[in-house]
């Protein structure tokens, strides 16, 4: 349990249609069990269940345990900030809901290209430093959903932060959309510790054949094995199914990655990423990148809200799928014989532009 973090982005409800109907009998049992097994970190945000997850922290954790018995991570929704005063108002409300005087870790939530502009415009990184100086946040960081190039730029401009939160699992590790390995390596280069999230990729990895408990153990272990990963966030029902685990062997990791790759091979578009198409395209449309994003979406539509931002960032810097001239020069170069023009139209329809 040393690296595990209890993430309240999915918690038990008595009424699935009411995000404020937290089943405290079940949640309290989960919290108690986690702490009894040596767990320390609890993660919440005002965007989880419309703020109800922060109230759950106050009721199930802060209201029942001494503050020194646990670590608490919170997040500022970076994209809705429009002034420094917004930062302070939201933060004070979070403290009140969580019934605490400080956060052990406080992060900017959901930093990508667009939200980084917002964060710079309204002084969100400066706000983090203000909190740290005042003892209201012992460590700071941000959750990141963008390119490794952007991450390198941010960390170069803000060496003061302590953590980067990344979605890390064996499917996203080499994903052309999430580029988890590259983002991890950039963070490590800057000397930052990682908080890993979604080790099961929203349950997609449970498609791997075999005993579910073992699959869960391997999936979480994949993230835990990374040297710079200080915490791995998992939802309560996943934590309940984890027992004490030994470090994975190289052979076990290889077998697990092979099984995961079988899931990845079930692509909507059989693109191999050779870039022959984009090199010859008059508009230099980054076709493999768009197909990679579309494949991610097709594999797990429930993660569309994350993938939308990756798609939007790409369209800001390159020609869009909808810009395609339909000249079909690319299709003559494609070694996979993909109907690129039709697939680009499908990608455009899927993401709305």
């Amino acid at each position: 349990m040393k690296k595990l973090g209890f993430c309240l982005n999915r918690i038990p409800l008595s009424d699935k249609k009411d995000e404020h109907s937290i089943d405290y009998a079940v949640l309290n049992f989960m919290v108690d069990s986690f702490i009894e097994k040596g767990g320390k970190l609890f993660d919440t945000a005002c965007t989880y269940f419309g703020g109800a997850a922060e109230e759950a922290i106050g009721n199930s954790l802060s209201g029942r345990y001494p503050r020194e018995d646990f670590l608490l991570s919170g997040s500022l929704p970076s994209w809705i900030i429009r002034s420094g005063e917004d930062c302070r108002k939201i933060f004070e409300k979070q403290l009140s809901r969580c019934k605490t005087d400080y956060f052990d870790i406080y992060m900017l939530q959901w930093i990508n290209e667009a939200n980084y502009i917002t964060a710079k415009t309204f002084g969100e990184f400066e706000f983090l430093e203000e909190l740290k100086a005042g003892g209201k946040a012992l460590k700071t960081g941000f959750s990141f959903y963008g390119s490794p190039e952007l991450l390198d730029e941010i960390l170069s401009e803000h060496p003061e932060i302590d953590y980067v939160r990344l979605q890390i699992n064996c499917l996203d590790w080499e994903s052309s959309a999430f580029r988890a390995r590259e983002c991890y390596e950039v963070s490590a280069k800057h000397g930052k510790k990682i908080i890993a999230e979604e080790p099961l990729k929203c349950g997609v990895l449970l498609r791997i054949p075999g005993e579910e408990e073992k699959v869960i153990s391997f999936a979480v272990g994949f993230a835990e094995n990374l040297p710079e990963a200080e915490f791995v966030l998992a939802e309560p029902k996943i934590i309940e199914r984890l027992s004490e685990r030994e470090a994975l062997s190289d052979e076990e990791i290889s077998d697990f990655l092979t099984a995961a790759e079988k899931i990845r091979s079930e692509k909507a578009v059989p693109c191999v990423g050779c870039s022959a198409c984009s090199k010859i395209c008059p508009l230099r449309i980054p076709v493999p990148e768009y197909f990679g994003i579309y494949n991610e979406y097709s594999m797990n539509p429930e993660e569309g809200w994350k993938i939308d931002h990756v798609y939007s960032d790409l369209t800001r810097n390159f020609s869009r799928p909808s810009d395609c001239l339909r000249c079909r020069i690319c299709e003559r170069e494609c070694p996979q014989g993909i109907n690129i023009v039709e697939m680009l139209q499908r990608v455009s329809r899927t993401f709305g532009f």
Side-chain angles (χ1 to χ4, degrees), residues 159-180:
E160 74 279 0
I161 68 100
D162 303 292
Y163 289 103
V164 178
R165 177 167 166 172
L166 297 171
Q167 179 165 306
I168 291 182
N169 53 68
C170 60
L171 285 178
D172 292 333
W173 193 241
E174 298 294 351
S175 161
S176 59
F178 289 102
R179 302 173 70 183

Side-chain angles (χ1 to χ4, degrees), residues 76-82 108-111 115-116 118-119 124:
L76 182 75
S78 62
W79 63 95
I80 68 171
I81 300 301
R82 291 297 176 268
L108 302 183
Q109 187 180 11
W110 201 267
I111 294 297
N115 293 341
Y116 184 47
T118 300
E124 294 177 28

Side-chain angles (χ1 to χ4, degrees), residues 79-282:
W79 63 95
I80 68 171
I81 300 301
R82 291 297 176 268
S83 69
E85 186 59 27
D86 284 349
C87 295
R88 284 179 278 277
K89 284 181 179 178
I90 290 172
F91 182 76
E92 290 301 325
K93 192 169 187 177
Q94 290 174 303
L95 289 181
S96 176
R97 283 173 172 165
C98 292
K99 297 179 182 177
T100 187
D101 296 322
Y102 68 95
F103 286 96
D104 296 277
I105 304 169
Y106 194 71
M107 314 191 87
L108 302 183
Q109 187 180 11
W110 201 267
I111 294 297
N112 56 21
E113 187 172 340
N115 293 341
Y116 184 47
I117 293 172
T118 300
K120 288 194 293 186
T121 302
F122 299 109
E124 294 177 28
F125 281 89
E126 290 75 11
F127 179 67
L128 291 185
E129 283 303 284
E130 178 186 319
L131 294 180
K132 189 185 280 189
K136 295 291 187 178
L138 304 189
K139 293 187 177 182
T140 60
F142 57 89
S143 59
F144 184 73
Y145 305 88
S147 70
E149 292 81 12
L150 176 62
L151 180 58
D152 190 46
E153 175 187 334
I154 296 172
L155 292 177
S156 296
E157 294 178 359
H158 294 283
E160 74 279 0
I161 68 100
D162 303 292
Y163 289 103
V164 178
R165 177 167 166 172
L166 297 171
Q167 179 165 306
I168 291 182
N169 53 68
C170 60
L171 285 178
D172 292 333
W173 193 241
E174 298 294 351
S175 161
S176 59
F178 289 102
R179 302 173 70 183
R181 175 184 56 79
E182 295 174 80
C183 287
Y184 170 84
E185 290 171 352
V186 167
S187 301
K189 180 186 77 172
H190 284 271
K192 305 306 176 187
K193 289 297 183 181
I194 302 298
I195 297 177
E197 66 174 0
E198 298 293 358
L200 284 157
K201 195 171 174 65
C202 299
V204 171
L205 284 169
L206 291 176
R207 298 178 195 169
I208 291 177
E211 184 183 343
E212 277 200 356
E213 273 68 19
K214 195 167 187 179
V215 172
I216 290 170
S217 182
F218 279 0
V220 173
F222 177 83
E224 285 182 325
N225 274 12
L226 297 173
E228 303 308 320
E230 189 159 305
F231 297 106
V232 178
L233 301 178
E235 60 185 283
K237 67 179 182 181
I238 294 300
I239 291 174
E240 276 197 317
R241 299 175 68 179
L242 285 167
S243 56
E244 291 301 319
R245 303 171 312 290
E246 296 180 358
L248 300 179
S249 68
D250 290 343
E251 183 179 358
E252 286 176 319
I253 292 173
S254 177
D255 289 345
F256 185 60
L257 289 175
T258 299
E261 187 56 34
K262 288 181 180 178
I263 295 176
R264 179 168 293 286
S265 67
E266 299 168 0
K267 296 178 179 179
V269 187
C271 174
V272 297
C274 69
S275 296
C277 53
S278 54
K279 289 175 184 175
I280 202 171
C281 174

Side-chain angles (χ1 to χ4, degrees), residues 312-329:
S312 295
D313 285 349
L314 191 60
T315 60
R316 272 191 285 272
N317 295 302
F318 299 95
S319 296
R320 300 176 177 184
S322 58
D323 295 330
C324 175
L325 301 174
R326 306 185 187 185
C327 64
R328 298 190 184 275
I329 296 173

